[in-house]
C-alpha cells in the first residue's frame, strides 16, 4: 500500500519536490547519526538544541503545506489555519499534561496543576480519555477535522468566498484565542499547558526522545507531502484547480463545489493538527497565543515567499523564513520585524511566484536559451553545408 | 397461477430462497391448518406469502427512489411556463412561455436586454424566478435543483465569454467535463478507462484540437477556446445544450464549422442557441424565437420572422 502510494506519487512529482524529499530522507538518517554517534565537541557533532529547532521548523513546514493545499490549489485564502494547528497542539498537550501524574507542583495524581489551583474537584468531561496516547492521537486529527467540517459546511454552502471568507477565518481563530484565554474553559487559561515531563514513558528532556521527535516530524512531513501530492495529481486536484480558476463553470459541469471544498479543507485541517501535535512536545508549551491571527497570517507569508501551488515551495518558504527569524532574533533582535516586513515586500515585488517560481523560471530560461543556441548552431551547420 | 397445487409448490421453493420472515409465516400458516383455525384466515396468509414470493416483481422499498431518466413522452424536453423575474423592480423576464422539443435546434434572438441570458440563468439554476415553472421533461422540476444537479440531469451550458480552465491542459479540461462520477472520493480515485480515453480523443478530433491536447487551455486562441468549451459540453453528454453566442469572435470559416457542428448535434440533443449574428442564425436554418422585454414576441422560421411586422418594429423602430 505504502509502496504503491510512494511509486505513484514520486513518479508524477516535479523535480523540486523530489529533490526536497530526498534531502529530507537524508536529514532523517544523517542528523540523528551526527548527534548520537559523533562525540560532543567534534566539528561534525549536531547539537540537540539545533535538532529540536529544526524539528520545530519542520512542523511549521507541514503547516505551511496544509495552507498551500487550500490556498494554492483551491484558492481559499485561509487566515485562520493557526487554529487547527493550535487545536492539534492542545490535544497533544492534554495528553502530556495527564502524563505528569503526581509529579506536578501540587502532587495531585488526577488533576493538572492549573485545575488544582482553580480549586476544581474533578476532571472535566472533555479531559477524559486523554491519558491514553491513541485517544489523544485520534483527537489530534478529529478535533481540527470537526471544526473544519462545521466551519466549511456553513460557509461553503452559503457560498462565502474571497476576502469575506478570509475575514471569517481570521474571526474564527481570534474567537478561539479569546475563548482559550479564559480560565473557565479548562485549558489552562493564558498560561496554556506546560511543564510536560514525558511522552509514552520517555523523558522529554532526554536527547534520544528529542531526536525521535525530530525524526517523527521528518516522517510526518514526508508522508504529508506524499498525501498532498497524491491529491493534487489526482482528478480531485484538477477539480480543485478548476474551482480556484472558475468556480461557477465547475458548478455548471455538475460538480457540487461545496463538497469538494469541504473535503480538501478538512484534509488540510487534519494535516495542520498533526503539525501542531508534533510541535508541542518539541517546544514544551502550548498557549492561546498560538491562536493569534498574526500567527495565521505569518503562515500565509511563508507560503507566498516559497511559492504557491507547488507544495514543496511552502516547505522551503517556512524553513527559510523561520531560519531567518532565528538568526535575526539572535544577531539583530531589533531589526527582525523590519527584516520580515521588507522580505515580504521585496518578495511580492520581485518574486511574485516565490522562491521556487524564480528558480523554475531561471532553469526554463536557461533551457530555452540552450535550445536557441542549439538551433542556431544547427542553422549555422546547414548554412555551412550550402 | 390458477392451479393451487402448482402455486403451493412455488411457494415452497420460493420460501427456501427468501428470508427468514417468509419461512416463519409459512410455519404459522401450517400450524393454523393443524389446529383447525378458520380457513379464510390461513388462506389470506398463504396469499400474502405467495405475493411476497413472486419473482416477477420487486419490493417497493427496493425500487430506486427516483427515476432520473427524463420523461419526454410528450416530445417536449423543456417547459418554461409563466416565468417572471425582476431585479430591483426591473422585469428582466416577464411571463415567458417557451417549449423546446426533443432533438430541436432553436435559435433565440432579441435586442440587448431582452432577457436572453437571464433565461439561460433560470434554466441552469443560477437565478431563481419569482413566479413560473421550469421542467425538464415532465418529471424533473428544475426549480427544486441546484446548478450541479441540473447539470447532471442533462443540461449543458456554454457561456457568452468562453470560460475554460486556463491552468489545466485541453485534455484535462475535457476529462473534468466527462459525464460520470461527481462524488469527492470517487473523483479522487478516478482513473481513465480505455473507452473514456477514446471518447476524449473523439471529441478532440471533432473540435479540431488534437495538436493542442497537452497545451494549457489558457494559451489557446479565442476561437479555439470557444471550440474547447463546446467540446466540454459534448463530454457532459447533455440532453439539452444551451449555447450563448457561440460564434462571437470567430472567423467566417470557424463560423461555418460551428454551424455544421450545431446542426449535427441537433437530433440527438436539443440545442438552444442565443445569437446576435443574423447571418449565422440564417445559416443554421431552424425555428427562431424572438425575445423582447422578457417575453416571446414571435416564433417561426427565419423568413416568417423577417416578415413579421412586430419584429420589424422592435428591431428597426418602424
Amino acid at each position: 500500500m505504502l509502496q504503491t502510494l510512494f511509486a505513484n506519487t514520486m513518479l508524477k512529482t516535479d523535480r523540486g519536490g523530489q529533490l526536497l524529499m530526498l534531502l529530507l530522507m537524508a536529514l532523517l538518517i544523517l542528523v540523528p547519526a551526527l548527534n548520537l554517534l559523533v562525540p560532543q565537541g567534534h566539528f561534525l557533532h549536531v547539537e540537540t538544541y539545533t535538532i529540536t529547532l529544526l524539528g520545530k521548523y519542520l512542523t511549521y513546514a507541514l503547516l505551511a503545506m496544509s495552507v498551500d493545499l487550500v490556498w494554492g490549489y483551491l484558492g481559499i485564502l485561509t487566515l485562520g489555519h493557526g487554529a487547527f494547528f493550535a487545536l492539534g497542539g492542545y490535544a497533544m498537550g492534554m495528553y502530556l499534561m495527564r502524563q505528569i501524574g503526581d509529579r506536578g507542583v501540587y502532587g495531585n495524581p488526577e488533576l493538572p496543576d492549573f485545575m488544582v489551583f482553580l480549586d476544581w474537584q474533578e476532571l472535566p468531561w472533555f479531559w477524559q480519555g486523554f491519558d491514553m496516547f491513541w485517544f489523544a492521537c485520534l483527537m489530534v486529527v478529529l478535533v481540527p477535522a470537526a471544526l473544519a467540517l462545521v466551519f466549511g459546511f456553513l460557509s461553503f454552502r452559503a457560498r462565502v468566498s474571497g476576502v469575506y471568507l478570509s475575514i471569517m477565518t481570521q474571526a474564527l481563530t481570534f474567537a478561539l484565542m479569546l475563548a482559550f484565554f479564559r480560565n473557565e474553559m479548562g485549558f489552562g487559561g493564558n498560561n496554556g499547558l506546560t511543564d510536560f515531563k514525558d511522552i509514552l514513558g520517555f523523558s522529554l528532556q532526554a536527547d534520544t526522545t528529542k531526536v525521535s521527535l525530530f525524526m517523527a516530524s521528518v516522517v510526518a512531513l514526508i508522508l504529508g507531502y506524499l498525501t498532498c501530492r497524491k491529491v493534487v495529481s489526482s482528478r480531485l486536484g484538477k477539480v480543485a484547480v478548476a474551482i480556484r480558476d472558475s468556480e461557477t463553470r465547475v458548478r455548471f459541469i455538475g460538480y457540487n463545489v461545496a463538497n469538494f471544498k469541504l473535503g480538501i479543507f478538512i484534509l488540510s485541517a487534519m494535516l495542520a493538527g498533526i503539525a501542531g501535535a508534533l510541535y508541542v512536545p518539541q517546544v514544551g508549551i502550548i498557549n492561546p497565543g498560538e491562536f493569534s491571527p498574526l500567527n495565521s497570517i505569518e503562515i500565509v507569508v511563508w507560503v507566498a515567499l516559497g511559492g504557491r501551488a507547488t507544495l514543496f515551495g511552502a516547505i522551503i518558504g517556512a524553513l527559510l523564513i523561520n531560519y531567518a527569524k532565528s538568526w535575526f532574533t539572535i544577531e539583530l533582535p531589533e531589526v527582525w520585524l523590519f527584516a520580515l516586513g521588507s522580505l515580504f515586500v521585496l518578495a511580492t515585488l520581485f518574486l511574485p511566484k516565490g522562491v521556487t517560481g524564480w528558480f523554475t523560471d531561471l532553469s526554463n530560461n536557461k533551457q530555452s536559451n540552450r535550445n536557441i543556441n542549439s538551433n542556431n548552431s544547427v542553422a549555422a551547420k546547414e548554412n555551412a553545408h550550402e | 397461477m390458477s392451479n393451487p397445487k402448482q402455486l403451493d409448490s412455488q411457494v415452497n421453493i420460493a420460501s427456501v430462497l427468501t428470508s427468514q420472515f417468509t419461512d416463519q409465516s409459512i410455519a404459522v400458516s401450517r400450524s393454523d391448518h393443524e389446529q383447525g383455525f378458520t380457513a379464510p384466515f390461513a388462506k389470506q396468509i398463504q396469499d400474502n406469502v405467495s405475493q411476497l414470493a413472486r419473482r416477477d416483481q420487486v419490493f417497493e422499498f427496493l425500487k430506486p427512489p427516483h427515476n432520473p431518466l427524463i420523461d419526454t413522452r410528450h416530445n417536449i424536453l423543456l417547459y418554461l411556463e409563466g416565468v417572471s423575474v425582476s431585479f430591483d423592480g426591473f422585469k428582466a423576464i416577464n411571463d415567458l412561455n417557451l417549449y423546446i422539443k426533443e432533438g430541436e435546434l432553436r435559435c433565440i434572438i432579441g435586442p440587448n436586454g431582452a432577457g436572453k441570458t437571464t433565461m439561460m440563468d433560470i434554466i441552469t439554476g443560477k437565478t431563481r424566478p419569482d413566479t413560473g415553472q421550469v421542467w425538464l421533461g415532465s418529471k424533473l422540476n428544475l426549480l427544486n435543483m441546484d446548478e450541479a444537479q441540473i447539470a447532471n440531469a442533462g443540461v449543458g451550458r456554454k457561456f457568452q465569454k468562453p470560460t475554460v480552465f486556463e491552468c489545466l491542459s485541453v485534455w484535462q479540461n475535457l476529462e473534468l467535463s466527462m459525464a460520470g462520477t461527481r462524488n469527492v472520493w470517487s473523483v479522487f480515485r478516478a482513473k481513465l478507462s480505455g473507452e473514456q480515453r477514446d471518447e476524449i480523443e473523439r471529441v478532440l478530433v471533432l473540435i479540431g484540437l488534437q495538436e493542442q491536447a497537452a497545451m494549457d487551455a489558457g494559451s489557446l486562441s479565442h476561437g479555439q477556446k470557444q471550440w474547447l468549451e463546446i467540446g466540454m459540453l459534448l463530454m457532459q453528454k447533455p440532453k439539452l445544450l444551451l449555447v450563448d453566442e457561440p460564434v462571437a469572435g470567430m472567423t467566417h470559416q470557424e463560423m461555418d464549422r460551428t454551424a455544421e457542428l450545431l446542426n449535427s448535434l441537433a437530433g440527438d440533443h436539443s440545442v438552444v442557441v442565443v445569437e446576435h449574428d443574423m447571418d449565422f442564425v440564417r445559416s443554421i436554418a431552424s425555428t427562431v424565437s424572438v425575445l423582447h422585454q422578457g417575453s416571446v414576441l414571435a416564433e417561426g422560421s427565419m423568413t416568417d420572422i423577417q416578415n413579421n411586422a412586430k419584429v420589424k418594429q422592435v428591431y428597426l423602430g418602424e
Side-chain angles (χ1 to χ4, degrees), chain B:
Chain B
M1 283 285 159
S2 54
N3 185 352
K5 200 174 178 185
Q6 191 189 345
L7 187 111
D8 212 340
S9 68
Q10 211 175 26
V11 168
N12 281 339
I13 293 164
S15 68
V16 175
L17 297 171
T18 47
S19 67
Q20 204 184 354
F21 166 72
T22 329
D23 283 347
Q24 276 170 352
S25 41
I26 286 191
V28 167
S29 74
R30 280 201 186 127
S31 65
D32 282 352
H33 271 302
E34 282 160 11
Q35 287 172 15
F37 266 136
T38 47
F41 183 56
K43 177 90 173 65
Q44 199 184 348
I45 291 179
Q46 208 165 29
D47 278 355
N48 285 345
V49 170
S50 61
Q51 277 297 315
L52 276 179
R54 275 180 68 176
R55 301 182 69 181
D56 57 332
Q57 279 186 355
V58 178
F59 290 121
E60 197 57 41
F61 67 90
L62 283 176
K63 281 180 184 163
H66 166 70
N67 184 1
L69 284 178
I70 301 163
D71 179 9
T72 52
R73 269 176 294 182
H74 305 287
N75 196 26
I76 290 181
L77 183 65
L78 181 73
Y79 301 79
L80 279 121
E81 288 179 344
V83 176
S84 296
V85 65
S86 56
F87 302 118
D88 298 325
F90 169 70
K91 284 217 161 184
I93 298 279
N94 189 7
D95 193 25
L96 175 72
N97 291 295
L98 191 73
Y99 303 93
I100 306 293
K101 293 199 199 79
E102 219 191 343
E104 184 185 16
L105 174 59
R106 174 75 65 95
C107 284
I108 311 257
I109 59 172
N112 282 331
K116 302 182 299 266
T117 302
T118 312
M119 183 194 77
M120 293 219 170
D121 285 348
I122 289 173
I123 299 171
T124 50
K126 200 179 174 199
T127 308
R128 296 271 170 231
D130 301 333
T131 55
Q133 305 236 358
V134 185
W135 291 77
L136 187 67
S138 44
K139 271 190 184 157
L140 290 178
N141 184 353
L142 294 187
L143 297 185
N144 290 338
M145 298 158 76
D146 67 22
E147 289 107 317
Q149 287 169 329
I150 292 175
N152 288 328
V155 178
R157 178 177 186 180
K158 193 203 136 330
F159 285 80
Q160 197 167 346
K161 188 171 156 270
T163 40
V164 294
F165 306 123
E166 311 225 328
C167 286
L168 299 177
S169 72
V170 170
W171 178 279
Q172 286 166 343
N173 267 278
L174 293 177
E175 183 184 337
L176 285 195
S177 321
M178 189 164 52
T181 178
R182 290 291 187 265
N183 161 295
V184 179
W185 180 252
S186 43
V187 166
F188 172 57
R189 306 292 309 169
K191 286 215 167 58
L192 281 177
S193 69
E195 249 170 65
Q196 289 170 325
R197 278 175 190 283
D198 290 347
E199 173 70 11
I200 294 179
E201 297 276 358
R202 194 183 64 79
V203 171
L204 274 176
V205 172
L206 197 66
I207 60 177
L209 293 175
Q210 314 93 293
E211 306 275 302
Q212 288 85 359
M215 261 168 71
D216 274 357
S219 53
L220 295 180
S221 75
H222 184 82
Q224 284 172 324
K225 279 184 194 167
Q226 297 268 35
W227 275 85
L228 175 57
E229 212 186 348
I230 293 175
M232 286 162 74
L233 261 188
L234 295 179
M235 293 303 297
Q236 270 180 267
K237 295 218 179 70
K239 283 294 287 179
L240 174 67
L241 281 124
L242 303 173
V243 191
D244 204 349
E245 304 211 7
V247 294
M250 278 192 179
T251 63
H252 269 286
Q253 286 153 323
E254 285 173 327
M255 244 191 237
D256 292 343
R257 274 181 66 195
T258 311
E260 211 175 286
L261 178 69
L262 290 177
N263 264 324
S264 70
L265 290 179
D268 283 344
H269 317 256
S270 300
V271 187
V272 175
V273 184
V274 165
E275 188 51 72
H276 273 301
D277 192 309
M278 287 302 159
D279 288 336
F280 180 71
V281 173
R282 211 169 287 124
S283 72
I284 58 179
S286 66
T287 323
V288 179
S289 298
V290 184
L291 234 60
H292 179 57
Q293 293 183 348
S295 48
V296 176
L297 185 74
E299 218 166 86
S301 73
M302 193 65 194
T303 36
D304 289 348
I305 294 294
Q306 275 171 324
N307 298 326
N308 188 310
K310 278 195 286 183
V311 175
K312 274 186 188 162
Q313 197 185 3
V314 167
Y315 263 93
L316 305 170
E318 282 170 7

Side-chain angles (χ1 to χ4, degrees), chain A residues 238-298:
Chain A
K238 306 290 177 293
V239 174
V241 170
I243 290 174
R244 179 189 74 192
D245 291 346
S246 176
E247 198 177 318
T248 7
R249 191 76 186 83
V250 179
R251 236 177 240 133
F252 286 121
I253 291 179
Y255 291 96
N256 188 331
V257 170
N259 286 352
F260 281 80
K261 281 186 173 176
L262 198 57
I264 295 177
F265 195 61
I266 290 175
L267 172 66
S268 164
M270 286 157 110
L271 287 174
I274 294 171
L278 285 163
Y279 169 84
V280 168
Q282 298 192 65
V283 297
I285 184 169
I286 174 83
N287 62 26
E290 295 296 336
F291 282 108
S292 88
L294 215 61
N295 277 13
S296 296
I297 294 175
E298 214 179 303

Side-chain angles (χ1 to χ4, degrees), chain A residues 5-55:
Chain A
L5 183 87
F6 214 78
N8 281 345
T9 44
M10 283 311 256
L11 285 178
K12 282 184 214 153
T13 187
D14 40 347
R15 232 176 344 154
Q18 275 177 345
L19 277 177
L20 194 66
M21 285 306 115
L22 286 178
L23 195 70
L24 281 176
M25 281 178 214
L27 273 183
L28 180 64
I29 299 161
L30 222 59
V31 170
L34 290 182
N35 174 264
L36 297 174
L37 299 181
V38 177
Q40 209 152 17
H42 195 272
F43 76 105
L44 277 175
H45 179 77
V46 179
E47 294 292 326
T48 315
Y49 167 77
T50 319
I51 290 188
T52 304
L53 202 65
L54 207 55

